[in-house]
Amino acid sequence: MTALLRYQAALLVRSHRWLPPLLLYGAFLGIGVQTGQPILDSLGYAAAALLPVAAWLVRVGVTQEPAAARDCAAAAVGPGRAHLASVLTGLGAALVLGTAGTLFVAAVSDPHTADHRQEVPVPEATVAGLLAAVACALLGTAVGALCNRPLLRRPGWAIPSTMLAALLVSVAGASPANAAVSGLVDGSHSGAVPMPLLPLALTGAAAAGATALACVLSSRRS
């Protein structure tokens, strides 16, 4: 699996298809995060912005190989393992972006509540922001795994489905990613720093289930 991940990561870096998601995430942060804003509000915004970016990066990961190269990899290690490596590569790229974005936001934000009356501990807030970012990246990975090949092979269906699903799971009240982000925003008003452990567990289960389904179908449809 390590060799597969290195292979997929090298493909991603050389293809430069990571650049549009990176620019999108940078645009989100540039528009929504400003120096001196309350730290928990800004961390929540940065985490939420990562969800569609993660879905996009997973789409890049599962579609970047030419068909002939994909068939060779599937013949060598099995289509399920090959597909798993492509999904994990997209998730890994999203986690790198999310970590960098969270650390940047923590560095430029004001460590106080929204009313600027209560101080917020930066280390705890940063950890909470990282956990929320991971939760959003995991749910974005689930979206990317379910809305692209092998379930949806045609770009005309896959791309709008990915965009719509990412939007829905970002704003739905029952979404664990929404819960993680809302917890940070609520903490910005109360002064308490929430650790989104339950949303993280739920999004992890969703990502694992969606990826497992995609890998099984990849094996059957190869």
Side-chain angles (χ1 to χ4, degrees):
M1 181 58 73
T2 302
L4 277 175
L5 290 173
R6 285 202 299 262
Y7 165 68
Q8 290 289 343
L11 280 179
L12 180 62
V13 171
R14 292 173 183 173
S15 71
H16 295 96
R17 294 180 67 187
W18 49 267
L19 186 57
L22 171 64
L23 293 177
L24 177 64
Y25 189 56
F28 276 138
L29 295 186
I31 294 171
V33 176
Q34 297 179 4
T35 302
Q37 288 182 329
I39 186 170
L40 291 176
D41 283 337
S42 297
L43 288 172
Y45 180 87
L50 189 62
L51 196 156
V53 173
W56 191 349
L57 285 168
V58 170
R59 170 168 172 76
V60 170
V62 301
T63 60
Q64 65 180 344
E65 279 184 289
R70 187 184 309 124
D71 291 341
C72 289
V77 300
R81 285 172 60 85
H83 192 77
L84 175 61
S86 64
V87 173
L88 291 178
T89 300
L91 172 60
L95 292 177
V96 170
L97 283 184
T99 300
T102 299
L103 295 178
F104 167 76
V105 169
V108 303
S109 298
D110 178 26
H112 290 85
T113 54
D115 58 9
H116 302 285
R117 294 181 179 179
Q118 186 174 345
E119 187 173 357
V120 175
V122 175
E124 292 181 19
T126 303
V127 171
L130 286 171
L131 293 177
V134 172
C136 290
L138 287 170
L139 197 56
T141 298
V143 169
L146 293 176
C147 294
N148 292 285
R149 60 169 300 274
L151 285 87
L152 297 177
R153 294 178 178 270
R154 296 184 179 180
W157 286 104
I159 294 174
S161 296
T162 301
M163 295 172 58
L164 180 60
L167 175 62
L168 289 177
V169 299
S170 296
V171 302
S175 167
N178 186 306
V181 172
S182 298
L184 292 175
V185 175
D186 292 342
S188 184
H189 294 279
S190 66
V193 179
M195 294 296 169
L197 298 179
L198 179 58
L200 180 63
L202 293 175
T203 55
T211 303
L213 175 61
C215 290
V216 169
L217 292 178
S218 178
S219 299
R220 292 181 178 179
R221 297 183 181 183
S222 60

